[in-house]
Amino acid sequence: MKKKEFFIPFHVSIFIIVVLLFFIFAGSFIAYQYQREKIYRIELFNAKLQGINNRMFILLPKIDEKEHIQYYIDKYLVDLPNIKLTIIKNGKEVVYDSFAPDSPMVQKDYWQNNEIKAALKDGSGYEIRKDHISSTYYYFSAIVYPHYVIRSAVPYDSLLQSTLKSDNTYLTFSFIIAMLLIAFFL
Protein backbone atom coordinates (compact mmCIF):
# COMPACT_ATOMS: atom_id res chain seq x y z
CA MET A 1 0.00 0.00 0.00
CA LYS A 2 1.28 3.35 -0.98
CA LYS A 3 1.59 6.17 1.56
CA LYS A 4 -0.22 9.36 0.70
CA GLU A 5 2.07 12.32 0.65
CA PHE A 6 0.85 15.57 2.03
CA PHE A 7 1.02 18.07 -0.77
CA ILE A 8 0.33 21.80 -0.55
CA PRO A 9 -0.56 23.34 -3.88
CA PHE A 10 1.76 26.07 -5.07
CA HIS A 11 -0.86 28.84 -4.96
CA VAL A 12 -1.76 27.93 -1.34
CA SER A 13 1.87 27.96 -0.21
CA ILE A 14 2.40 31.36 -1.88
CA PHE A 15 -0.72 32.67 -0.14
CA ILE A 16 0.52 31.41 3.25
CA ILE A 17 3.91 33.03 2.68
CA VAL A 18 2.30 36.34 1.70
CA VAL A 19 -0.01 36.25 4.76
CA LEU A 20 2.95 35.50 7.07
CA LEU A 21 4.96 38.34 5.52
CA PHE A 22 1.97 40.63 5.95
CA PHE A 23 1.69 39.69 9.63
CA ILE A 24 5.41 40.26 10.16
CA PHE A 25 5.26 43.62 8.41
CA ALA A 26 2.05 44.70 10.18
CA GLY A 27 3.37 43.55 13.57
CA SER A 28 6.66 45.39 13.05
CA PHE A 29 4.86 48.54 11.94
CA ILE A 30 2.44 48.46 14.88
CA ALA A 31 5.26 47.88 17.40
CA TYR A 32 7.28 50.72 15.85
CA GLN A 33 4.33 53.14 15.92
CA TYR A 34 3.50 52.15 19.50
CA GLN A 35 7.07 52.92 20.60
CA ARG A 36 7.06 56.20 18.67
CA GLU A 37 3.85 57.31 20.37
CA LYS A 38 5.29 56.46 23.77
CA ILE A 39 8.42 58.53 23.06
CA TYR A 40 6.27 61.34 21.65
CA ARG A 41 4.20 61.55 24.84
CA ILE A 42 7.33 61.64 27.01
CA GLU A 43 8.89 64.34 24.84
CA LEU A 44 5.65 66.33 24.89
CA PHE A 45 5.57 66.30 28.68
CA ASN A 46 9.27 67.16 28.74
CA ALA A 47 8.50 70.17 26.52
CA LYS A 48 5.91 71.31 29.10
CA LEU A 49 8.51 71.17 31.88
CA GLN A 50 11.07 72.87 29.63
CA GLY A 51 8.53 75.67 29.11
CA ILE A 52 8.37 76.10 32.87
CA ASN A 53 12.17 76.20 32.98
CA ASN A 54 12.21 78.80 30.19
CA ARG A 55 9.73 80.99 32.08
CA MET A 56 11.92 80.74 35.16
CA PHE A 57 14.92 81.87 33.12
CA ILE A 58 13.00 85.01 32.17
CA LEU A 59 12.67 85.74 35.89
CA LEU A 60 16.43 85.45 36.45
CA PRO A 61 16.98 89.17 37.09
CA LYS A 62 14.92 88.63 40.27
CA ILE A 63 16.25 85.15 40.90
CA ASP A 64 18.08 85.99 44.10
CA GLU A 65 14.80 86.98 45.70
CA LYS A 66 13.21 83.72 46.74
CA GLU A 67 9.87 85.40 47.35
CA HIS A 68 9.59 86.20 43.63
CA ILE A 69 10.26 82.61 42.69
CA GLN A 70 7.75 81.27 45.20
CA TYR A 71 5.18 83.87 44.05
CA TYR A 72 5.66 82.72 40.45
CA ILE A 73 5.25 79.07 41.42
CA ASP A 74 2.13 79.78 43.49
CA LYS A 75 0.51 81.98 40.85
CA TYR A 76 1.39 80.39 37.52
CA LEU A 77 2.01 76.74 38.25
CA VAL A 78 -1.24 75.86 39.95
CA ASP A 79 -1.86 73.01 37.50
CA LEU A 80 1.31 71.33 38.83
CA PRO A 81 0.93 71.68 42.60
CA ASN A 82 3.74 69.28 43.51
CA ILE A 83 6.34 70.73 41.18
CA LYS A 84 9.89 70.68 42.42
CA LEU A 85 12.04 73.47 41.07
CA THR A 86 15.81 73.74 41.50
CA ILE A 87 17.93 76.64 40.25
CA ILE A 88 21.69 76.15 40.20
CA LYS A 89 23.99 79.11 39.59
CA ASN A 90 27.42 78.80 37.95
CA GLY A 91 27.26 75.03 38.29
CA LYS A 92 28.01 75.20 42.02
CA GLU A 93 25.53 77.16 44.09
CA VAL A 94 21.93 76.06 44.57
CA VAL A 95 20.05 79.34 44.49
CA TYR A 96 16.60 77.86 45.02
CA ASP A 97 15.01 74.52 45.78
CA SER A 98 11.24 74.67 46.09
CA PHE A 99 11.05 71.66 48.40
CA ALA A 100 13.58 73.20 50.78
CA PRO A 101 13.55 76.96 50.05
CA ASP A 102 15.01 78.00 53.41
CA SER A 103 17.14 74.99 54.13
CA PRO A 104 20.89 75.12 53.67
CA MET A 105 20.71 71.32 53.32
CA VAL A 106 20.63 70.68 49.60
CA GLN A 107 21.78 67.75 47.59
CA LYS A 108 25.46 67.77 46.82
CA ASP A 109 26.81 66.14 43.68
CA TYR A 110 23.64 67.05 41.78
CA TRP A 111 25.69 67.10 38.56
CA GLN A 112 25.91 63.30 38.85
CA ASN A 113 22.19 63.01 38.05
CA ASN A 114 21.52 61.85 34.50
CA GLU A 115 19.19 64.73 33.64
CA ILE A 116 21.90 67.25 34.64
CA LYS A 117 24.57 65.31 32.73
CA ALA A 118 22.39 65.24 29.63
CA ALA A 119 21.60 68.94 30.01
CA LEU A 120 25.27 69.84 30.30
CA LYS A 121 26.08 67.69 27.27
CA ASP A 122 23.09 68.39 25.00
CA GLY A 123 21.54 71.57 26.43
CA SER A 124 18.61 69.77 28.04
CA GLY A 125 17.80 66.40 29.54
CA TYR A 126 15.22 64.40 31.43
CA GLU A 127 14.98 61.28 33.54
CA ILE A 128 12.48 59.36 35.64
CA ARG A 129 14.17 58.35 38.89
CA LYS A 130 13.92 58.35 42.67
CA ASP A 131 14.58 61.67 44.33
CA HIS A 132 17.58 61.48 46.65
CA ILE A 133 15.90 63.44 49.43
CA SER A 134 12.27 62.24 49.44
CA SER A 135 12.78 58.73 47.95
CA THR A 136 9.78 59.38 45.69
CA TYR A 137 9.91 58.79 41.95
CA TYR A 138 9.98 62.02 39.95
CA TYR A 139 10.06 63.03 36.32
CA PHE A 140 13.05 65.41 36.21
CA SER A 141 13.71 67.84 33.38
CA ALA A 142 16.75 70.14 33.25
CA ILE A 143 17.99 72.80 30.86
CA VAL A 144 21.23 74.77 30.74
CA TYR A 145 21.27 78.55 30.41
CA PRO A 146 24.22 80.94 30.61
CA HIS A 147 25.43 80.70 34.22
CA TYR A 148 22.39 78.65 35.33
CA VAL A 149 20.93 75.17 35.26
CA ILE A 150 17.20 75.07 35.92
CA ARG A 151 15.61 71.76 36.79
CA SER A 152 11.93 71.06 37.31
CA ALA A 153 10.34 67.84 38.47
CA VAL A 154 6.91 66.43 39.15
CA PRO A 155 6.00 63.25 41.02
CA TYR A 156 5.88 60.20 38.78
CA ASP A 157 2.54 59.03 40.09
CA SER A 158 -0.28 57.01 38.53
CA LEU A 159 -1.78 60.11 36.89
CA LEU A 160 1.48 61.00 35.15
CA GLN A 161 2.05 57.36 34.22
CA SER A 162 -1.35 57.21 32.54
CA THR A 163 -0.59 60.49 30.73
CA LEU A 164 2.68 59.13 29.38
CA LYS A 165 1.28 55.68 28.53
CA SER A 166 0.66 54.93 24.88
CA ASP A 167 -2.92 54.66 23.71
CA ASN A 168 -4.01 51.02 23.25
CA THR A 169 -6.85 52.07 20.96
CA TYR A 170 -4.32 52.31 18.14
CA LEU A 171 -3.22 48.71 18.72
CA THR A 172 -6.79 47.45 18.75
CA PHE A 173 -7.69 49.39 15.61
CA SER A 174 -4.59 48.15 13.76
CA PHE A 175 -5.28 44.54 14.74
CA ILE A 176 -8.90 44.77 13.52
CA ILE A 177 -7.82 46.30 10.20
CA ALA A 178 -5.20 43.58 9.73
CA MET A 179 -7.80 40.86 10.40
CA LEU A 180 -10.25 42.49 7.98
CA LEU A 181 -7.60 42.61 5.27
CA ILE A 182 -6.76 38.93 5.78
CA ALA A 183 -10.46 37.98 5.73
CA PHE A 184 -10.98 40.05 2.59
CA PHE A 185 -8.19 38.21 0.73
CA LEU A 186 -9.27 34.72 1.83
Side-chain angles (χ1 to χ4, degrees):
M1 190 173 201
K2 216 176 193 186
K3 254 186 175 176
K4 280 191 172 182
E5 290 185 22
F6 182 69
F7 179 73
I8 299 175
F10 181 72
H11 69 282
V12 173
S13 62
I14 291 294
F15 178 74
I16 291 171
I17 290 171
V18 168
V19 167
L20 287 175
L21 286 174
F22 173 76
F23 273 128
I24 291 169
F25 175 75
S28 300
F29 180 76
I30 290 169
Y32 175 73
Q33 283 299 104
Y34 183 79
Q35 186 63 26
R36 276 190 54 194
E37 182 184 350
K38 193 174 183 179
I39 291 170
Y40 169 75
R41 286 176 179 253
I42 290 170
E43 291 290 335
L44 188 64
F45 188 75
N46 187 50
K48 182 176 183 175
L49 289 180
Q50 293 293 338
I52 291 167
N53 294 346
N54 287 333
R55 283 182 261 155
M56 286 307 300
F57 181 68
I58 293 169
L59 291 176
L60 282 178
K62 299 177 181 179
I63 207 80
D64 293 326
E65 299 173 26
K66 294 179 182 180
E67 300 82 33
H68 288 284
I69 299 169
Q70 194 59 49
Y71 172 78
Y72 172 81
I73 290 172
D74 293 341
K75 184 170 182 177
Y76 297 108
L77 300 179
V78 291
D79 60 330
L80 296 169
N82 294 325
I83 191 164
K84 180 176 182 171
L85 190 66
T86 308
I87 301 170
I88 304 156
K89 187 175 183 179
N90 296 326
K92 297 176 185 146
E93 176 190 357
V94 175
V95 176
Y96 183 79
D97 187 342
S98 61
F99 272 32
D102 298 323
S103 173
M105 168 68 180
V106 292
Q107 175 194 348
K108 299 197 185 324
D109 299 333
Y110 53 85
W111 56 85
Q112 297 300 323
N113 296 329
N114 289 336
E115 74 276 4
I116 300 291
K117 285 180 184 177
L120 292 172
K121 180 182 174 200
D122 302 325
S124 68
Y126 65 89
E127 183 182 29
I128 299 169
R129 65 170 174 80
K130 251 186 185 180
D131 183 45
H132 301 298
I133 296 172
S134 68
S135 295
T136 304
Y137 278 93
Y138 277 86
Y139 184 107
F140 288 91
S141 180
I143 191 165
V144 175
Y145 299 98
H147 309 294
Y148 289 95
V149 175
I150 299 177
R151 178 179 71 178
S152 54
V154 292
Y156 190 66
D157 55 10
S158 59
L159 180 62
L160 182 57
Q161 287 175 5
S162 67
T163 301
L164 299 179
K165 189 173 123 183
S166 293
D167 187 11
N168 289 334
T169 307
Y170 173 77
L171 292 176
T172 306
F173 178 74
S174 298
F175 180 75
I176 290 170
I177 293 296
M179 290 299 114
L180 288 174
L181 286 172
I182 293 298
F184 179 74
F185 287 111
L186 285 178

